[in-house]
């Protein structure tokens, strides 16, 4: 929104830039383009030298699309203000004769000032209608009083000016009680008679138009009759006005119910069930916060049901017009849920993986036996809940850290700290090797995390490498995640203070340091690390380091990139495309697909495996089916690569492997994944899916 404004205002003849107090859109329509331009010319002459000198002429179709996108997004952006007071729609339908619109604006402004609040003004002034939404916090009794007082005074002013409070939309429960002052008792009595004759049992829209409740009847409020009472939060929600304020950012606009390609909201797009939309989950959380799910709402089966299929894609963080961050809200829910429900065996195995991996990885042959034996796969399904027909990641014979690394020095681009996540370290260490080669070729001195820990006397870092805490967050163990993130902060702080970037390969892990870390460990240290945490393609693009890489053509000319959901949520998928486009003769396209459906362990879980496949089948699998035999598929997410291997039979590559191959390293291929024994699942899946 701000970027669009900056571009548009930056193109104004006056050169005015910055944030305006208001934006006025004037549209001219005509059968002849010249006639429309004459209208623009006349407007420009009228406004010349006045307060609106920042006129932008939008004659190109792409400019017009940007303006209308801005107009559509504006209300939702305004609704996302972090203040507990939110713009409330209750007098927004007033309309007055156009000639009296300035007077209506001035008098309504005085009403709002008298009641010590402000409003957003948003609408189509050309017909005398301004959608005005005063900012109020309806969990406060004094603001509930203001709600009614402002309504009564505003409606009286509208009638006095020859207008109405029902200019465009329906009256519903909000304004029906004010119909009689506007229309008179005779007409309202006629409404009641029609209702009595056609709907004697009052089944159709009770309480609307006829016999309505008072607009300030607290039983009708989302916040409930006793107001919102949010329990102590596990994360820092200060920028959203508290956890309840973050939940309140959802204004029910329904953008999360979109079915076209996008990240938000995968489970809704696959189930078409409102409970599993971002809006549905926000409504469930609001009910929990306002006591409508019982005395112990965090143990409510209904709330658990609503939150269960949130796969933490973070798509809503970017795509929701009001910025609802349901992935982070689920962490808050899981934290509360975990206090009442101990971990299952499967959850414990997944959560504590970073802690036991250094010791059990030596038994990699035994650990990988499940992938060779259908009987073991079925046993693991019955005892742990891992779907027998899904291939689990294979432990590597040798972990990354134990191969020995020497600290580089004298590189022309300075140092970077290579943050090797648990999954790469123990399952795909060749990707960390490739990252080191690419970074050094680009001119960086690569500092491994083991060297960082050793330099601080943290011998435990060498025996148990640093971890972002992601696996603990996935099951609601916030305290354990803080322990891991505290270790990371202590180890990397000296490097971060001197400007060293922390570079990662796995989007879900690296971006945990950028997103969740400041909310879990608020303060300058976490903020500094978040600012210095970058994905490897992002680093190469931002520094212009690709120009220094002696890249050569690959055996293939087409690279098909599937962006990890977290990359898309942070707007980073394009950086992978840009990095790969530096390879000579390479044709790179970003696959237009949403979530792959794997989402960490979600796709391996027997109760979720079927839905995981369904999500993958929305766009990703059809798009991969249109690939040519020689194409390479690129996916930076570990879970994405496993989903693609399992369901499409294609070995997807990390971008760093492709860049390494273009530097002359061993050439990976997009060959089919290694077949595994056919195993039938027991079918213990969610009945409603």
């Amino acid at each position: 929104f701000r970027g669009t404004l900056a571009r548009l205002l930056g193109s104004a003849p006056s050169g005015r830039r910055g944030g305006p107090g208001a934006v006025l859109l004037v549209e001219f329509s005509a059968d002849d383009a010249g006639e429309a331009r004459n209208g623009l010319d006349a407007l420009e002459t009228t406004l010349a030298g006045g307060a609106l000198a920042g006129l932008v002429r939008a004659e190109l179709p792409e400019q017009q699309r940007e303006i209308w996108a801005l107009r559509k997004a504006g209300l939702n952006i305004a609704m996302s203000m972090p203040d507990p007071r939110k713009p409330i729609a209750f007098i927004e339908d007033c309309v007055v004769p156009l000639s009296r619109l300035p007077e209506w604006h001035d008098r309504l402004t005085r009403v709002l000032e008298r009641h010590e609040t402000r409003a957003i003004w948003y609408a189509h002034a050309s017909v005398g209608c301004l959608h005005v939404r005063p900012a109020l916090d309806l969990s406060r009794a004094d603001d509930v009083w203001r709600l009614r007082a402002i309504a009564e005074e505003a409606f009286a002013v509208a009638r006095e000016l020859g207008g109405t409070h029902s200019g465009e939309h329906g009256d519903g429960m909000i304004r029906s009680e004010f119909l009689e002052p506007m229309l008179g008792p005779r007409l309202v009595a006629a409404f009641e008679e029609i209702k009595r004759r056609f709907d004697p049992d009052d089944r159709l829209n009770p309480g609307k138009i006829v016999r309505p409740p008072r607009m300030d009847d607290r039983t009708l409020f989302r916040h409930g009759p006793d107001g919102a009472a949010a329990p102590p939060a596990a994360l820092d929600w200060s920028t959203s006005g508290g956890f309840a304020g973050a939940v309140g950012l959802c204004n029910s606009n329904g953008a999360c119910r979109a079915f076209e390609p996008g990240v938000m909201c995968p489970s809704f797009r696959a189930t078409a069930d409102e409970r599993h939309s971002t809006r549905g989950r926000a409504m469930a959380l609001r009910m929990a916060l306002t006591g409508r799910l019982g005395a112990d709402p965090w143990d409510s089966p209904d709330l658990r049901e609503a939150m269960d299929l949130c796969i933490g894609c973070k798509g809503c963080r970017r795509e929701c017009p009001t910025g609802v961050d349901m992935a982070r809200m689920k962490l808050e829910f899981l934290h509360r849920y975990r206090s009442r429900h101990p971990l299952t065996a499967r959850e414990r195995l997944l959560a504590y993986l970073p802690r036991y991996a250094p010791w059990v990885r030596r038994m990699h042959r035994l650990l990988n036996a499940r992938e060779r034996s259908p009987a073991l796969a079925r046993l693991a399904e019955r005892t742990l809940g891992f779907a027998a027909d899904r291939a689990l990641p294979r432990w590597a014979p040798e972990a990354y850290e134990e191969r020995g690394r020497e600290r580089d020095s004298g590189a022309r681009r300075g140092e970077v700290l290579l943050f090797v996540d648990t999954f790469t370290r123990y399952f795909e260490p060749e990707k960390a090797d490739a990252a080191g080669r690419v970074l050094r070729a680009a001119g960086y001195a690569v500092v491994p995390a083991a060297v960082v820990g050793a330099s601080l006397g943290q011998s435990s870092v060498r025996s148990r490498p640093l971890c972002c805490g992601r696996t603990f967050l996935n099951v609601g163990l916030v305290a354990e995640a803080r322990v891991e993130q505290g270790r990371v902060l202590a180890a990397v702080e000296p490097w971060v203070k001197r400007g060293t970037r922390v570079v990662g390969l796995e989007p879900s892990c690296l971006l945990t340091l950028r997103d969740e870390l400041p909310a879990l460990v608020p303060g300058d240290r976490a903020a500094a690390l978040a600012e210095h945490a970058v994905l490897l393609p992002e680093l190469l693009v931002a520094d212009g380091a690709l120009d220094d890489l002696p890249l050569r053509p690959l055996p293939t000319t087409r690279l098909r990139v599937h962006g990890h959901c977290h990359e898309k949520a942070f707007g980073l998928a394009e950086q992978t495309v840009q990095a790969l486009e530096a390879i000579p003769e390479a044709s790179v396209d970003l696959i237009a697909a949403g979530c792959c459906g794997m989402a960490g362990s979600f796709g391996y879980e027997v109760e979720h495996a079927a839905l995981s496949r369904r999500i993958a089948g929305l766009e990703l699998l059809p798009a991969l089916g249109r690939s040519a035999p020689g194409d390479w598929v690129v996916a930076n997410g570990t879970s994405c690569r496993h989903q693609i291997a399992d369901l499409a039979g294609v070995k997807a590559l990390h971008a760093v492997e492709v860049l390494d191959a273009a530097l002359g390293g061993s050439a990976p291929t997009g060959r089919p994944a290694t077949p595994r024994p056919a195993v039938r699942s027991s079918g213990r899946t969610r009945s409603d899916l």
Side-chain angles (χ1 to χ4, degrees), residues 231-237 243 331-332 335-336 476 478-479 482 519-522:
L235 285 72
D236 178 15
W237 297 94
F243 182 43
L331 299 183
E332 195 73 54
H335 169 69
R336 289 165 168 74
V478 172
R482 281 201 183 97
L520 281 163
V521 191

Side-chain angles (χ1 to χ4, degrees), residues 226-293:
D226 299 320
L235 285 72
D236 178 15
W237 297 94
S238 57
T239 58
S240 302
F243 182 43
V247 174
L249 289 177
C250 177
N251 66 353
S252 301
N253 62 71
C256 51
R257 290 175 53 87
F259 285 95
E260 62 269 12
V263 179
M264 180 181 69
C265 173
S267 50
F268 170 76
R269 296 181 64 232
T271 65
D273 188 331
E274 170 74 14
R275 289 175 301 168
H276 304 309
S277 68
T278 302
R279 180 173 72 178
R281 296 183 186 106
M283 292 296 181
L285 286 170
R286 182 180 288 118
M287 292 175 71
L289 288 169
T290 55
R292 299 191 182 193
L293 291 182

Side-chain angles (χ1 to χ4, degrees), residues 2 135 240 248 272 292 367 503 505 608 677:
R2 294 186 183 92
S240 302
R292 299 191 182 193
L367 296 172
V503 183
L505 301 177
H608 297 138

Side-chain angles (χ1 to χ4, degrees), residues 549-567:
L549 290 175
L551 300 172
R552 294 177 289 186
L554 294 167
T556 183
T557 57
R558 191 183 187 206
L559 302 171
R560 309 205 66 203
V561 178
H562 171 66
H564 187 284
C565 286
H566 294 182
E567 286 181 300

Side-chain angles (χ1 to χ4, degrees), residues 320-334:
C320 173
T322 61
V324 171
D325 192 343
M326 188 53 61
R328 187 176 290 185
M329 292 180 196
K330 183 174 182 179
L331 299 183
E332 195 73 54
F333 160 75
L334 286 174

Side-chain angles (χ1 to χ4, degrees), residues 364-374 376 394 676-677:
H364 63 274
R365 290 186 178 87
L366 177 62
L367 296 172
N368 293 334
R370 182 254 189 203
E371 304 313 300
R372 301 188 300 270
S373 168
L376 286 177
R394 291 176 177 269
R676 65 189 302 273

